[in-house]
Amino acid sequence: MDVMSAFDAGALGPDDFNKAYALVLNYHHKARREGVLSLDGPSQDRTLPLVFRKGLGMVADGTDPSEVLSRLSTLILKASDPGEIALGVLYMQGIYSLQRGESMAVLKMRMAAPLGIEAMAGIIEELEGRAL
């Protein structure tokens, strides 16, 4: 199964996105407060999703962002479950945003992008309702 088919299959619901976003946001805050080296410990936490855990480890190790994306993409494409693939892409987007030090608004937009135009429109509306 390819990545876009996983999203077209409706493998993710709003709760899945919100849980993934909350997890990434938690570590986004941690990296901003304590530095990216603080992500090394959590990268060993087997309760975290594999793609996210591997991404945290590579960020903590200082791996080049393009290499992180390449390795995580390979890992995601090995999955056969559409839900796993779709979540993997969300985590990969979150890791990329975290590594680049992007704002929380950009993080949310980046993670929502694979979900399609309707999801993006809803998030834009939500963000416009707040002061950024």
Side-chain angles (χ1 to χ4, degrees):
M1 171 170 285
D2 67 16
V3 173
M4 291 317 296
S5 297
F7 287 99
D8 291 343
L12 290 181
D15 287 343
D16 297 316
F17 173 80
N18 289 334
K19 286 177 187 174
Y21 176 69
L23 178 65
V24 172
L25 188 60
N26 180 42
Y27 288 97
H28 190 271
H29 287 308
K30 182 176 181 62
R32 281 182 171 234
R33 279 191 320 269
E34 302 169 29
V36 293
L37 291 177
S38 69
L39 303 176
D40 189 45
S43 73
Q44 308 301 317
D45 183 350
R46 299 232 180 247
T47 62
L48 294 175
L50 178 64
V51 170
F52 189 64
R53 193 171 71 229
K54 295 286 186 185
L56 288 177
M58 287 187 277
V59 170
D61 289 343
T63 305
D64 184 80
S66 61
E67 183 66 23
V68 172
L69 289 178
S70 175
R71 289 185 190 177
L72 292 181
S73 295
T74 301
L75 184 62
I76 290 165
L77 291 174
K78 289 181 180 179
S80 58
D81 175 27
E84 218 175 305
I85 293 170
L87 276 173
V89 170
L90 294 185
Y91 289 128
M92 181 176 69
Q93 292 290 354
I95 288 292
Y96 185 70
S97 184
L98 183 154
Q99 190 172 26
R100 293 176 48 98
E102 295 175 336
S103 72
M104 289 172 273
V106 172
L107 167 67
K108 194 166 193 177
M109 294 290 287
R110 186 178 296 284
M111 287 183 70
L115 300 177
I117 196 72
E118 287 180 23
M120 292 292 291
I123 290 171
I124 290 169
E125 267 182 36
E126 176 188 327
L127 293 173
E128 286 177 344
R130 305 185 211 163
L132 297 178

